[in-house]
Amino acid sequence: MMENTKCECGHQNPVGTLLCESCGKPLQEMDEQELLEMRYDGMARRSQRANKSWIDHIWSFFSSVKIAVYLIVITLIVASLGTIYPQQSTFIGRVDFAKWYADNYGWTGKLYYYLGLSTVYESWWFKALLVMIGTSLVVCSLDRVLPLYRALSKQKLRKHPQFLMRQKVAFKGMVPQSGANHAVQSELTALSDQTGHSDQASFSDQTDQAAHANDIQDQTNLTEGAVSASSQTAELQQTQQTEGDWMAQMQAALKKKRYRVHVEDGALLAEKGRFSRWGPYINHIGLILFLLAVLARGIPGWHLDEHIWVLEQDIVKLENTPYYVKNEKFTLDFYDEDEIPEAIQDQGKTIAKTYRLDAVLYECTDNCDSQEPVLEQVHAHDIEVNYPLKYKDLWIYLVDYEPTRQLLSMNLTLKKSAEENVLGQFELDMRDPQKEYQIDAYTVMIEDYYPELIMREGAPATNSRDPINPAFIMQVTGPDIAPQGERYLFIPMMGVMTLIGEDGFDLTAQQQGEMEFTIQSEDDVVMSEFRSFLNIRKDVAIMYIWIGGAISMIGLIMGFYWQHRRIWLRVDKGQIQLGAHTNKNWFALRKELADTLKRTGIEVDPRSLSNEVKSK
């Protein structure tokens, strides 16, 4: 059966409306002593539909403030659990997390790891909670802001007496008499005085009084009838004039209180601070933008927080970006002894005063997936602590340094051992040596490469991939050399070059072959004394996070520091019926209303304006 929502004023309201959109009369049976529900002026909301579809059930679930509070509390609890032990994202480098948590925190750490609490903020279920909170914010806002907008944009001035007198602040009284009433009374008094005066003149003649008694009585009755009719007409005119004058005074007094006043047909609506009603929804918009920005960090290329080591003169690719960074030079300065406190001097410590990295940023323009990308310099900056390199959305911080003596490259000269003539030169890159070099008529082949040479069971091996103590096994072929060529073990950092025979090699007794590798000058050797630890950051979403936070703060300020106040009144035959509503600070509204009424000649105690009907 269709619910009848047509009001006695003739307005057809949507199903679910509590108060008539036109006159404000309650449409549902309620206790006449209950205050009206004014949060959305009784407008219908989708979440309160009687016959709901499955979409409406989902809508009602997320539109519930109680559900939103539960989601926020659950998210806060889960987020707090993620702070008990360090998160995996705070570690740098490769770590066996299962072992680390067990070794450092025992069985609780092991449980913490296997429950997934060590990766709370990156987990899918934590992000799902954020999505549900965002959905709740959107649905809650739409479910309330649309009815509120319709209610405030369609306000009618003349309200039903029940609407006025069931507000939390209400007043009922008569329009006070103005100075014009005294003029009417004076007129009536003058007419009475004239009648009495004529009576005295008639009775002065004792003889004529008896003869004309009946005539005088008739004249007196006619005079009283004329005075009565004149009095009724004057009272009606005076009532209308008094109502109009009082309404004008009320309008002027409210305007002085910075209300926007509308008057129509003996009714008045005064309103101020409406913008504050949008504060919570602006706050929601800011929070939604904030949550979207946080979730957007998962988009590839939007967020980067990596750490890399960069040797001097080395160029390193920044992963997930088209950029490369080069460590041109690292500078380290220490405090002088006279600048260091004696307590520290006694400990024999040296303190770094400045460490600076001369960095160059390149962008790949072509062949980016190959071993030889085309790079273009886009920025250069001297990076110091707290003074990063900034380029577009990319920030590069200098976090730490480490003394490390590594050989990066060298220009080797090939010549015959018995001769001084140089056959040619070639560049040997310790990080990426070529397999073969052609020098004049000779060929140098790299058979094996050991970046950090160690001897393991009498055979060469490497301890790491860093060129700390590089060693090469080379084969040289060409004229005046046996057809199978000569094999050499070359260790540049140790100055070793020995011939490898059929029985292998002996580092204690180096054997000289037909060929020899030499270095002509120090300029032919490129060394790295330090390596720098850099933090690469990129956060495209941070701007939207700040914007969302700023919008949210604006909404909070609007909602906290201003109030939406409305005053409705109607005057019928000299009787005033007034109702007022605000979203907060009722004491100030009553005080302001009492002061306004006083300016129009009505003395009232602010406490008496508080409606005595019971709250819902």
Side-chain angles (χ1 to χ4, degrees), residues 158-325:
R158 194 168 186 82
K159 294 294 186 180
H160 194 276
Q162 284 193 42
F163 177 87
L164 298 175
M165 303 314 298
R166 290 171 65 177
Q167 297 294 328
K168 194 171 181 179
V169 174
F171 170 78
K172 187 174 183 179
M174 300 299 296
V175 174
Q177 298 295 319
S178 63
N181 291 64
H182 298 293
V184 174
Q185 297 295 332
S186 299
E187 181 181 349
L188 295 175
T189 304
L191 288 172
S192 299
D193 290 344
Q194 290 177 7
T195 304
H197 208 38
S198 64
D199 289 344
Q200 291 177 4
S202 299
F203 283 103
S204 63
D205 189 354
Q206 298 296 328
T207 303
D208 294 338
Q209 181 179 7
H212 300 287
N214 294 332
D215 294 338
I216 293 173
Q217 183 65 38
D218 293 340
Q219 182 179 1
T220 301
N221 292 335
L222 291 172
T223 302
E224 289 178 353
V227 170
S228 177
S230 175
S231 174
Q232 291 178 2
T233 303
E235 285 181 358
L236 178 60
Q237 295 176 349
Q238 176 58 26
T239 299
Q240 295 175 348
Q241 182 179 1
T242 301
E243 290 179 3
D245 292 343
W246 185 83
M247 288 283 283
Q249 293 177 9
M250 189 68 174
Q251 184 176 358
L254 289 170
K255 285 184 176 180
K256 287 184 179 180
K257 299 289 187 181
R258 297 183 179 179
Y259 280 88
R260 297 179 63 183
V261 183
H262 306 276
V263 179
E264 179 184 284
D265 190 24
L268 179 146
L269 168 63
E271 182 181 20
K272 71 176 179 179
R274 182 192 290 188
F275 71 94
S276 67
R277 295 295 292 274
W278 313 123
Y281 307 105
I282 293 175
N283 177 32
H284 288 180
I285 292 173
L287 292 177
I288 291 167
L289 181 58
F290 182 91
L291 288 175
L292 288 175
V294 171
L295 295 173
R297 285 180 164 179
I299 300 175
W302 275 56
H303 184 258
L304 180 67
D305 189 4
E306 300 290 342
H307 294 80
I308 58 172
W309 286 101
V310 185
L311 294 168
E312 286 184 293
Q313 298 299 317
D314 198 6
I315 298 179
V316 177
K317 182 180 183 347
L318 307 183
E319 295 299 329
N320 302 317
T321 72
Y323 300 109
Y324 291 73
V325 64

Side-chain angles (χ1 to χ4, degrees), residues 307-372:
H307 294 80
I308 58 172
W309 286 101
V310 185
L311 294 168
E312 286 184 293
Q313 298 299 317
D314 198 6
I315 298 179
V316 177
K317 182 180 183 347
L318 307 183
E319 295 299 329
N320 302 317
T321 72
Y323 300 109
Y324 291 73
V325 64
K326 181 180 180 181
N327 183 348
E328 285 279 0
K329 183 182 179 182
F330 183 83
T331 303
L332 178 63
D333 294 329
F334 293 94
Y335 283 100
D336 296 332
E337 291 186 2
D338 55 351
E339 297 177 306
I340 300 176
E342 293 183 0
I344 299 178
Q345 288 184 20
D346 296 340
Q347 297 176 7
K349 294 182 178 180
T350 57
I351 301 176
K353 184 177 183 179
T354 302
Y355 49 98
R356 180 178 64 253
L357 172 67
D358 300 342
V360 178
L361 186 67
Y362 297 93
E363 184 175 7
C364 180
T365 58
D366 197 10
N367 299 329
C368 297
D369 295 330
S370 67
Q371 295 293 327
E372 297 182 357

Side-chain angles (χ1 to χ4, degrees), residues 538-597:
K538 182 181 180 181
D539 197 346
V540 179
I542 191 65
M543 177 181 67
Y544 301 102
I545 290 175
W546 282 108
I547 292 175
I551 293 174
S552 180
M553 285 302 301
I554 291 172
L556 287 173
I557 292 171
M558 288 173 58
F560 275 120
Y561 293 99
W562 282 273
Q563 305 93 39
H564 181 210
R565 298 180 181 178
R566 286 180 290 174
I567 300 171
W568 301 270
L569 69 85
R570 57 184 291 174
V571 180
D572 298 299
K573 297 181 181 180
Q575 186 183 58
I576 303 170
Q577 291 177 302
L578 182 150
H581 181 267
T582 182
N583 57 334
K584 57 177 172 289
N585 200 355
W586 293 91
F587 173 79
L589 175 63
R590 292 195 299 267
K591 186 174 182 297
E592 185 178 58
L593 188 56
D595 182 66
T596 303
L597 290 172

Side-chain angles (χ1 to χ4, degrees), residues 88 91 94-115 118-119:
Q88 292 184 22
F91 291 84
R94 298 181 179 178
V95 179
D96 185 352
F97 292 108
K99 184 176 183 301
W100 189 90
Y101 283 102
D103 292 345
N104 286 273
Y105 303 108
W107 69 268
T108 58
K110 188 175 182 179
L111 180 65
Y112 191 81
Y113 172 77
Y114 284 109
L115 287 177
S118 60
T119 56

Side-chain angles (χ1 to χ4, degrees), residues 480-534:
D480 304 328
I481 299 178
Q484 70 273 17
E486 293 183 343
R487 299 174 70 239
Y488 295 90
L489 174 63
F490 178 55
I491 311 175
M493 298 286 288
M494 299 174 60
V496 172
M497 182 175 178
T498 181
L499 184 66
I500 302 176
E502 294 181 358
D503 299 330
F505 60 87
D506 186 359
L507 295 179
T508 60
Q510 300 182 32
Q511 300 181 21
Q512 189 174 22
E514 294 290 334
M515 310 304 293
E516 183 180 31
F517 296 108
T518 61
I519 299 173
Q520 298 295 317
S521 67
E522 293 182 357
D523 295 336
D524 291 334
V525 179
V526 179
M527 296 289 297
S528 173
E529 300 293 338
F530 298 93
R531 65 174 183 170
S532 303
F533 193 50
L534 303 181

